[in-house]
Amino acid sequence: MSTPTLHIILFIVLASLFISTRGDDQSRTDVALFIFGDSVNDVGTNNYINTTADFRANFPPYCETFFRHPTGRFSNGRLIVDFIAEYANLPLIPPYLQMKDDEFMGGANFASAGAGALGDTYEGFVVDLKMQLKQLEQLEKKLEKEMGSERAKKIIKEGVYLISIGSSEYALPFFSNPTLFQSISMEDYVGMVIGNITTVLKGIYEVGGRKFAMIGIGQLGCVPIMRPAENGSCSGEANKLAQLHNVALTSILAKLEAQLQGFEYSYFDYYTSGSERIHYPSKYGFKEAETACCGSGPYRANSSCGGQRGEKEFSLCHDPENYVFFDSDHASERANRQFAQLMWNGSLSIIRPRNLKALFKHEGSNAKELKVRKGRGKRVDYITQPIKLWVTLVMHLFLYVGQSLGPPKYFRKDNSIREITSILRLKPSMVP
């Protein structure tokens, strides 16, 4: 077989790979992930608004573990929403404000670091929850214009709406208004937050959304930023607020499912899952759960990671994967991966009344994929299983034809799959 013949065969195989994966993408365009909330979910929204470095993470060392450059995510790598998108066979969901009119690919992320359900939470510096709802309404109109009303409504209806909100409201009093709860009870304050969340949930429902994935508030009093004021312990008051919120949220979700036809939800018990890792880190592969990887001061509790927030000096750990927290109040990529796995196919004790795999209506399609990746701790590119199969076939075709040719220009008999990827200019992690 001649070298030109080899080139023709490879061209045909790679062309069929491109066509098949493009077709697969098109067949999934009705499955979408719409993301709302705060810094737990923000993948770069605040890069596109007029705000300060306090509400941004678009500078090193953020995101260097996976992306190799800052993206706006408050972590050393991927967030929970990035893993959920992967498990749902979706691409990385971009910030809505980054998207151009014709760039709808799998959903939109409206989340803004520092955002709250109450409009006056960091007003003027963030995109609050009600404004995020307005952005969804704007997106719906754009989709109708581009795709037609029927198709746009189907995308909106069949999409999953993943929301994390409330942490900003509950942390704010401890730093800027310590006397707040002398004038209002914790219960009433939580009631105000839940009331606004309920309004937005109903607003999304009116737009057409039916499937909601809610992330509860974590063990807020035990994040590094809270520890110095408590001499290294957790803040009981902050944890009480988080618990009150979570009880009220689960109650309202159950009521909405009973009241609104077609309303479905998943509630992730972030408090319990986070508490487990904070109090028993070694059980989950961590070495440190009280001190952050990046920051300054005791417990690296100062929000100085990156040196862009008024304090230039900061410390950075050598291996963020050993830490539950990357900075003063945000989880590491490894912790985010674990939380996402629990959300996707965890038991009803932690994600209820259904997990996200059920909410997305995936029937066993990703179980094997999750088992393969679980605990690996390595970089994994966003690539679906069918693509991996095609890549494997191409690799073996190279080996077979290369060995048939003897030692021509491209091959020797000792060539490995990893070496051939460099010829194809594929990343090694794309090879199963």
Side-chain angles (χ1 to χ4, degrees), residues 76-335:
N76 59 299
R78 289 163 289 183
L79 305 183
I80 292 173
V81 295
D82 297 318
F83 290 106
I84 296 302
E86 179 186 355
Y87 303 157
N89 289 334
L90 293 167
L92 285 172
I93 306 301
Y96 169 72
L97 295 179
Q98 175 188 310
M99 295 166 58
K100 297 179 181 178
D101 289 344
D102 58 348
E103 284 186 346
F104 182 81
M105 292 185 63
N109 189 319
F110 307 96
S112 171
L118 304 179
D120 57 357
T121 301
Y122 297 122
E123 186 175 10
F125 294 95
V126 301
V127 182
D128 66 59
L129 189 60
K130 288 186 177 179
M131 180 55 70
Q132 293 176 32
L133 171 59
K134 290 181 180 178
Q135 291 177 340
L136 173 66
E137 294 169 348
Q138 293 169 5
L139 177 61
E140 181 203 21
K141 292 176 182 177
K142 290 179 183 179
L143 293 179
E144 287 182 353
K145 184 178 179 181
E146 294 166 13
M147 304 176 179
S149 177
E150 184 177 347
R151 186 152 182 73
K153 286 180 179 178
K154 184 177 182 183
I155 290 172
I156 295 294
K157 182 179 180 180
E158 295 186 0
V160 169
Y161 297 80
L162 198 161
I163 304 170
S164 170
I165 199 76
S167 293
S168 297
E169 271 94 5
Y170 302 130
L172 194 59
F174 295 93
F175 300 102
S176 63
N177 191 3
T179 62
L180 175 66
F181 297 117
Q182 294 177 11
S183 57
I184 184 174
S185 70
M186 287 188 175
E187 289 79 4
D188 287 345
Y189 186 66
V190 169
M192 291 167 56
V193 174
I194 294 296
N196 279 21
I197 292 174
T198 304
T199 298
V200 170
L201 291 178
K202 289 181 177 179
I204 295 173
Y205 182 88
E206 289 175 5
V207 173
R210 293 295 182 268
K211 296 184 285 187
F212 298 83
M214 302 296 299
I215 299 177
I217 303 296
Q219 200 171 29
L220 188 63
C222 296
V223 299
I225 198 172
M226 290 290 189
R227 289 187 180 273
E230 302 293 330
N231 295 318
S233 299
C234 298
S235 167
E237 282 195 329
N239 282 342
K240 181 180 178 181
L241 276 172
Q243 290 172 315
L244 288 170
H245 172 94
N246 293 336
V247 169
L249 180 60
T250 52
S251 176
I252 199 64
L253 288 171
K255 289 180 181 178
L256 290 174
E257 187 168 55
Q259 294 171 357
L260 303 178
Q261 185 176 3
F263 186 102
E264 295 180 274
Y265 75 92
S266 293
Y267 167 77
F268 176 52
D269 188 351
Y270 201 14
Y271 190 97
T272 298
S273 56
S275 175
E276 278 284 308
R277 284 152 182 81
I278 290 170
H279 298 292
Y280 310 102
S282 60
K283 182 179 177 180
Y284 300 94
F286 299 101
K287 294 181 180 179
E288 179 57 60
E290 294 184 0
T291 297
C293 167
C294 185
S296 59
Y299 306 98
R300 296 195 183 115
N302 296 344
S303 300
S304 58
C305 185
Q308 301 293 316
R309 303 186 182 113
E311 186 177 341
K312 292 186 177 181
E313 298 297 324
F314 67 96
S315 298
L316 179 66
C317 69
H318 293 294
D319 190 356
E321 294 291 280
N322 289 330
Y323 288 71
V324 174
F325 295 99
F326 178 64
D327 71 6
S328 59
D329 53 345
H330 298 101
S332 66
E333 182 187 69
R334 185 176 193 176

Side-chain angles (χ1 to χ4, degrees), residues 1-3 6 10 394-415 420 423:
M1 186 183 294
S2 66
T3 300
L6 170 62
L10 291 174
V394 172
M395 298 297 98
H396 285 288
L397 178 62
F398 260 100
L399 285 175
Y400 174 77
V401 177
Q403 290 174 2
S404 299
L405 287 171
K409 181 178 180 180
Y410 295 129
F411 299 100
R412 292 188 177 90
K413 288 187 178 181
D414 61 349
N415 275 130
I420 292 172
I423 297 171

